[in-house]
Amino acid sequence: MSEHQKEYKNAWTTYKEEELKALYAYADRYKNFLSNNKTERECVRTMVKEAEAAGYRNLETLISENKKLAAGDKVYANYKDKSLILCCIGQKSIEDGVNLLGAHIDSPRLDLKPNPLYEDTEIALFKTHYYGGVKKYHWVAIPLAIHGVVAKKDGEVVNITIGEDENDPVVGISDLLIHLAKEQMEKKLGEAIAGEDLNICLGTIPLQGEEKNKVKANVLKLLYDKYGIIEEDLVSSELEIVPAGKARDYGLDRSMIIGYGQDDRVCSYASFEAQLEVKNPQRTTVTVLVDKEEIGSVGASSMHSKFFENTMAEILNLIGSYSSLKLRRMLARSKMLSSDVTAGYDPNHPTVLEKNNAAYFGKGVVFNKYTGSRGKSGSNEANAEYVAALRKLMEDYHIVWQTSELGRLDLGGGGTIAYILANYGMEVIDCGVAVHSMHAPWEVTSKADIYEMRKAYTAFLNSEL
Ligand code: MN
Ligand code: MN
């Protein structure tokens, strides 16, 4: 092939034994993270613990103790256990901008309604309200787990995880038997299972001595005995119904990973590890891991919230360099990888992607110059000069990369947090990995791709683009 033609490599063909070892070790760490962190709160709690062990200090503590920040210092800001910002102060002036990684830690799921618990024909159930883009038919007839918190009036917050330990029971949503499904099977796929049909089966044993709703009463007794919570406490809860079970190797050759919530914990975890790995960087490095991306990045814990900007202002202040103008300069001069997943070419569904501009398993970390739908609507389009600088960076660090669009034109589309940070004027590009079955309860990624992404993020944080 002529050197003038671009060849997108299969990363697997580039590895020697040592590198394969590092790749599989990374995949194992990531699988472990995925299995144990299925909600935004669980991600933040785990990451705060690991960040503190790596020398990161709580921004709130630094502020209250009137401490200063200097080059090499590490600090984190935790927004109510839902969003997390990590920062390592660089040698260069922070006014020159930061190298920013941003990903989201929320995933599509079923939330409980405020009044979730009811009984029907001596079966106790939870009403749910789906969160994010789900195909409802995915959620029936599979084992489900309950994760989250219940906040009590006395201020206590009870953590709940049911369905992950192998000795735990699981819960689930029944589907209609095929024998009686003639009418259902004639419905459109999007209408065959309605939102109000996604009710979680919890139990069938009546509580002795109870007058009415005996099975519901028995479920409440179980919840009270184990967690000390009563029915009204569920009003102030955030309980998330997620697929039960661990992430696993996928494929006979173990080249892939199947797990819940890889959109976008696959990028969040890589960003987090890369951020922790960086020591004494030239440019200040920042990783922001946000909630609520799947519902449009709205709300206090989302990327649209002022939490990010306020945190950066506090950090500038602790460096002794705060002014509104300096903050705005810093943001405008920053560089960002908006780290999120993209559609992987899937032989089962070949027509939805345009082959020359699709992302493929095994071909490395993916850059999406833009996302959006129709005529690039709603996208942030990265500047050509920035893309060129990133191409050079990938080449310098021998990172296998590819580029793609999110699907064939006129079929749909999607967006990420990229455009929100781009509003500051900083350089932003979408950068992540290809996924099969995105937004399904069990999503699939390639180990080679996640390993190349991990390397790309470290190279980026250490760079002076
Ligand atoms: Mn995503
Ligand atoms: Mn998503």
Side-chain angles (χ1 to χ4, degrees):
M1 187 181 275
S2 144
E3 62 184 279
H4 299 299
Q5 284 197 48
K6 166 71 181 159
E7 185 198 3
Y8 289 98
K9 272 187 257 179
N10 185 318
W12 291 105
T13 63
T14 68
Y15 299 134
K16 304 246 160 45
E17 210 180 310
E18 272 307 292
E19 192 148 38
L20 274 177
K21 239 190 247 171
L23 180 155
Y24 288 123
Y26 176 68
D28 285 344
R29 291 200 299 282
Y30 168 56
K31 262 188 304 180
N32 186 49
F33 177 81
L34 258 192
S35 300
N36 293 308
N37 298 282
K38 293 189 174 181
T39 68
E40 56 286 350
R41 285 178 187 261
E42 287 169 356
C43 288
V44 170
R45 277 201 295 265
T46 297
M47 286 169 166
V48 163
K49 216 181 283 169
E50 286 185 30
E52 283 182 343
Y56 278 77
R57 288 175 298 165
N58 190 335
L59 180 66
E60 290 299 326
T61 315
L62 296 183
I63 292 169
S64 67
E65 292 174 358
N66 213 2
K67 292 263 168 54
K68 290 283 166 232
L69 283 172
D73 284 349
K74 298 166 193 162
V75 59
Y76 74 85
N78 172 357
Y79 180 81
K80 298 190 191 289
D81 288 346
K82 291 181 174 183
S83 288
L84 183 65
I85 294 172
L86 301 140
C87 174
C88 181
I89 310 298
Q91 304 290 327
K92 290 190 155 180
S93 165
I94 196 166
E95 268 182 78
D96 295 341
V98 306
N99 289 349
L100 175 63
L101 291 173
H104 66 94
I105 48 179
D106 62 319
S107 296
R109 61 179 189 252
L110 307 179
D111 288 338
L112 294 196
K113 291 193 181 193
N115 281 322
L117 186 58
Y118 72 106
E119 177 173 332
D120 187 340
T121 61
E122 297 183 75
I123 297 175
L125 302 111
F126 271 153
K127 295 293 300 179
T128 66
H129 192 138
Y130 57 95
Y131 172 95
V134 300
K135 287 178 166 178
K136 296 174 197 102
Y137 72 85
H138 279 154
W139 291 81
V140 298
I142 60 168
L144 298 171
I146 304 171
H147 289 235
V149 296
V150 179
K152 292 164 55 170
K153 274 192 296 193
D154 64 5
E156 188 194 354
V157 177
V158 183
N159 275 296
I160 291 180
T161 312
I162 302 168
E164 300 296 350
D165 187 286
E166 61 179 42
N167 297 313
D168 276 0
V170 293
V171 293
I173 300 164
S174 53
D175 194 9
L176 186 57
L177 63 167
I178 184 71
H179 315 69
L180 300 178
K182 185 168 177 292
E183 286 174 8
Q184 185 196 41
M185 298 296 276
E186 281 162 7
K187 286 185 184 168
K188 286 186 190 161
L189 196 54
E191 294 162 5
I193 305 281
E196 295 292 354
D197 297 340
L198 297 175
N199 305 313
I200 309 285
C201 178
L202 299 170
T204 58
I205 301 179
L207 184 65
Q208 299 293 326
E210 193 76 14
E211 288 291 301
K212 54 171 194 168
N213 289 332
K214 295 175 187 174
V215 178
K216 176 184 164 188
N218 194 47
V219 165
L220 282 169
K221 182 175 185 302
L222 289 172
L223 289 175
Y224 186 78
D225 290 348
K226 176 123 197 221
Y227 302 105
I229 55 176
I230 58 172
E231 184 172 15
E232 193 185 306
D233 291 331
L234 294 173
V235 173
S236 50
S237 73
E238 287 172 9
L239 291 173
E240 304 180 9
I241 308 298
V242 298
K246 291 182 185 330
R248 303 181 67 162
D249 286 343
Y250 191 70
L252 299 184
D253 59 4
R254 296 178 180 271
S255 61
M256 296 162 280
I257 290 171
I258 185 166
Y260 165 70
Q262 299 207 65
D263 174 9
D264 184 31
R265 291 178 197 127
V266 70
C267 299
S268 301
Y269 185 71
S271 302
F272 177 71
E273 265 208 9
Q275 173 72 33
L276 256 53
E277 185 189 345
V278 167
K279 306 253 154 43
N280 282 312
Q282 285 301 307
R283 279 165 68 86
T284 295
T285 68
V286 178
T287 294
V288 51
L289 303 165
V290 285
D291 181 27
K292 297 288 187 281
E293 193 274 346
E294 295 293 359
I295 59 162
S297 293
V298 287
S301 54
S302 76
M303 197 66 248
H304 269 303
S305 143
K306 289 276 182 279
F307 175 58
F308 172 71
E309 194 179 313
N310 291 348
T311 298
M312 296 316 295
E314 295 284 7
I315 288 171
L316 277 184
N317 194 42
L318 294 188
I319 292 172
S321 177
Y322 176 76
S323 77
S324 174
L325 182 61
K326 284 177 178 173
L327 175 67
R328 282 186 266 169
R329 276 186 192 146
M330 181 210 75
L331 291 167
R333 291 168 181 166
S334 291
K335 306 267 173 18
M336 181 190 195
L337 297 184
S338 169
S339 308
D340 210 339
V341 295
T342 192
Y345 181 84
D346 179 351
N348 279 333
H349 303 281
T351 59
V352 301
L353 299 181
E354 185 265 294
K355 275 193 160 176
N356 291 326
N357 289 283
Y360 296 88
F361 270 7
K363 298 207 169 178
V365 60
V366 185
F367 289 95
N368 280 37
K369 191 169 183 291
Y370 48 84
T371 57
S373 49
R374 301 181 307 280
K376 301 189 179 180
S377 176
S379 73
N380 160 64
E381 180 152 9
N383 293 313
E385 293 86 345
Y386 185 44
V387 181
L390 288 165
R391 279 171 53 204
K392 178 163 188 320
L393 183 72
M394 295 302 106
E395 199 175 296
D396 290 348
Y397 285 86
H398 308 288
I399 291 161
V400 181
W401 64 276
Q402 54 184 324
T403 184
S404 83
E405 284 195 336
L406 184 62
R408 189 178 271 280
L409 299 187
D410 302 326
L411 285 186
T416 65
I417 60 171
Y419 74 97
I420 305 165
L421 282 305
N423 284 337
Y424 291 114
M426 68 175 73
E427 301 272 16
V428 184
I429 190 169
D430 280 294
C431 174
V433 292
V435 175
H436 280 180
S437 306
M438 192 196 295
H439 280 211
W442 299 97
E443 301 172 308
V444 179
T445 56
S446 152
K447 289 182 183 176
D449 296 342
I450 69 170
Y451 179 67
E452 295 300 320
M453 170 172 66
R454 170 72 176 77
K455 287 197 297 187
Y457 289 176
T458 307
F460 168 76
L461 287 180
N462 281 317
S463 71
E464 295 177 71
L465 294 177

